[in-house]
Amino acid sequence: MGNKVEILQRFYERVWVEGAIEEAESFFNTQAAASGLMPDLALSAQEFHDFVAALLAVLDVTSVNLEKAVEQYEWISVMGRFEATLLANGQPITGSGMLMARIVDGR
């Protein structure tokens, strides 16, 4: 695994799987924004924090696996898969998605 993949895996493990939302900001540059979650909307670090908190209020994320990654310079593109359980009824769910991120100085 490349360094950028390890950073992303650590982020998903700590923040999504272990629920350490307060640690999310340590992975983001202060000027970072998350876009692509919803059409034509970029989320600030605080809005992303609130988004994750809302999802973790209804889901228990049990795993996030980064399956394919392509790195070039400061950029990484990753296909990932997650497994979770709905807290309301225990129903297991899975999903997948793609992430593109710019990582500078480990963030």
Side-chain angles (χ1 to χ4, degrees), residues 32-100:
S35 60
L37 295 168
M38 293 167 264
D40 300 322
L41 179 64
L43 301 178
S44 68
Q46 181 59 50
E47 291 166 330
F48 184 75
H49 179 281
D50 295 344
F51 175 75
V52 172
L55 283 178
L56 292 180
V58 297
L59 294 175
D60 175 25
V61 179
T62 55
S63 69
V64 176
N65 298 304
L66 303 179
E67 298 174 346
K68 293 180 173 47
V70 176
E71 296 182 36
Q72 186 173 21
Y73 308 111
E74 297 174 335
W75 290 92
I76 183 167
S77 178
V78 177
M79 293 214 38
R81 178 171 217 62
F82 75 89
E83 295 179 354
T85 303
L86 292 173
L87 294 175
N89 61 12
Q91 178 182 348
I93 62 170
T94 61
S96 61
M98 186 162 193
L99 166 79
M100 182 173 275

Side-chain angles (χ1 to χ4, degrees), residues 2-3 6 16 27 42 44 46 51 76 95 97 105:
N3 186 44
E6 291 170 3
W16 288 93
F27 290 91
S44 68
Q46 181 59 50
F51 175 75
I76 183 167
D105 297 327

